[in-house]
Amino acid sequence: DQLCLQMGFERTGLSHYLCGVKRDVVEVYPSLSSFRDIVFFFKLMLSPTMDMLPDRKKWSPNDAILTWTHDDQGLHVQGFGRKLPLPCTAYSKAADRANPQAVETREELSRYDHTASWTLRELIFGRKMPRCPPSGANPSHLCKSRIDTEDDVLHVQNKQLPLFDGHLRVDESELLLQILTAPFLRIPLVIHFFASKERIKALASQKLQQVLDACLFEMGPWLKPSDGNPMTAVVGAAEVDASSQLMIPAQDRMHTSTPLGLLFNELRNAPHTLVDAVDSILRYALALDSGRYDSESGGCAVILYAVRLAIRIESFLAFILEHCEWRSKAGS
């Protein structure tokens, strides 16, 4: 509107200027249409489900040219041989009214992310397929049945418990699943679960390696630091409804959000517990060294994974130390 006022264009039908139906603005400012398409593609990439994106095939540059139109229902975008879902990419009240299905999809994805309640059947048949695979530390995904709390683990039949190709016993599998139901506490618990002589050989299983990696390196809910410094943000200080904090179990996990991820939070507040456990894993793994490499040997797989794990944890520690050193030199 301000642009039309400055240039002397009619101030009615502003959406037609944006679509290019009225060429007055885009002729004077050709970069406006490019900026419009860039913003749209950026928001399109944030779509929560695969069905909102173009089909996976070989596209040409001409297929990516967007055609914009406007009617009483709002803006519409045509590209990649189909009508692209403009309303679902904008998290606004107007877009929600225009596309109630997008609201339902976001609510389902939110429940999936916070309660890990989707079953394999729901993922395939019943609901929208998320763009990212289920977490490797999701007990519901591991058991192929809904698990929200420790009590749910007790009701899982033994034949449904994941034994990871015989690397874990039934009681050990139950204990691991119970640990995974508490994401905010699971890092020290799961690392100590494997930091023992009895279970170190279980890390020869690639599936268990994926579980441990997911527990350690998945970020978890994000917390915006109030002072702009993520290293000094108070964990769990996210703005949440007071009534939801009284719910047990909580409706979501925003009260356990962190500014830099769960691993940074653990290393910043209780590093000794985690570092000692990683050191134990490394020592127990090296005790399995037979003196020569054997691709079929479980001991070699454990050693290689333990070394990778220790190096990755060390990189996180080095980052924290470098940041603290930089802050001290800056005088803050």
Side-chain angles (χ1 to χ4, degrees), residues 4 13 111 120 135 148 151 167 170 172 186 196 232 244 255 259 275 292 302 309:
C4 292
R111 288 196 297 270
L120 183 63
S135 168
D148 294 331
D151 293 338
H167 286 91
V170 171
E172 292 175 330
R186 70 189 179 193
S196 64
T232 60
S244 65
H255 60 285
V275 172
R292 63 183 181 88
V302 174
L309 178 65

Side-chain angles (χ1 to χ4, degrees), residues 136-139 142 175-183 186 190 211 215:
N138 184 341
L142 295 175
L175 177 59
L176 179 60
L177 293 175
Q178 290 174 348
I179 292 174
L180 297 181
T181 59
R186 70 189 179 193
V190 75
V211 170
C215 290

Side-chain angles (χ1 to χ4, degrees), residues 1-188:
D1 182 68
Q2 294 297 318
L3 184 61
C4 292
L5 181 63
Q6 177 184 352
M7 300 300 298
F9 298 142
E10 294 184 4
R11 299 172 64 186
T12 58
L14 299 179
S15 57
H16 292 93
Y17 288 122
L18 181 63
C19 295
V21 176
K22 292 183 177 180
R23 304 288 302 176
D24 306 68
V25 174
V26 295
E27 290 289 346
V28 179
Y29 299 100
S31 59
L32 177 63
S33 58
S34 299
F35 180 72
R36 173 201 63 193
D37 294 347
I38 291 173
V39 172
F40 173 80
F41 278 121
F42 175 76
K43 291 190 174 184
L44 184 65
M45 293 300 104
L46 298 179
S47 299
T49 57
M50 292 293 296
D51 60 320
M52 297 180 183
L53 298 176
D55 297 332
R56 298 175 60 183
K57 57 180 293 186
K58 185 177 180 180
W59 296 103
S60 67
N62 289 332
D63 295 323
I65 297 176
L66 301 180
T67 303
W68 293 72
T69 57
H70 181 269
D71 56 22
D72 296 337
Q73 301 297 323
L75 291 170
H76 302 280
V77 185
Q78 187 78 20
F80 297 99
R82 54 172 287 193
K83 179 180 178 181
L84 297 175
L86 176 65
C88 73
T89 60
Y91 287 62
S92 63
K93 293 182 179 180
D96 292 344
R97 290 194 298 268
N99 191 352
Q101 183 180 3
V103 181
E104 180 182 355
T105 300
R106 291 205 304 272
E107 291 176 350
E108 289 183 352
L109 291 174
S110 176
R111 288 196 297 270
Y112 162 70
D113 179 62
H114 295 314
T115 64
S117 61
W118 281 19
T119 64
L120 183 63
R121 180 178 179 84
E122 289 172 331
L123 285 173
I124 298 177
F125 301 105
R127 300 183 183 179
K128 300 291 184 181
M129 178 63 72
R131 292 180 63 189
C132 60
S135 168
N138 184 341
S140 300
H141 173 61
L142 295 175
C143 281
K144 303 299 186 293
S145 62
R146 178 170 179 169
I147 295 179
D148 294 331
T149 64
E150 295 182 14
D151 293 338
D152 296 332
V153 179
L154 301 178
H155 297 285
V156 177
Q157 299 180 2
N158 289 348
K159 62 182 180 179
Q160 289 184 282
L161 292 172
L163 301 182
F164 302 97
D165 300 324
H167 286 91
L168 293 182
R169 302 190 305 270
V170 171
D171 59 320
E172 292 175 330
S173 178
E174 288 182 345
L175 177 59
L176 179 60
L177 293 175
Q178 290 174 348
I179 292 174
L180 297 181
T181 59
F184 193 73
L185 302 174
R186 70 189 179 193
I187 288 182

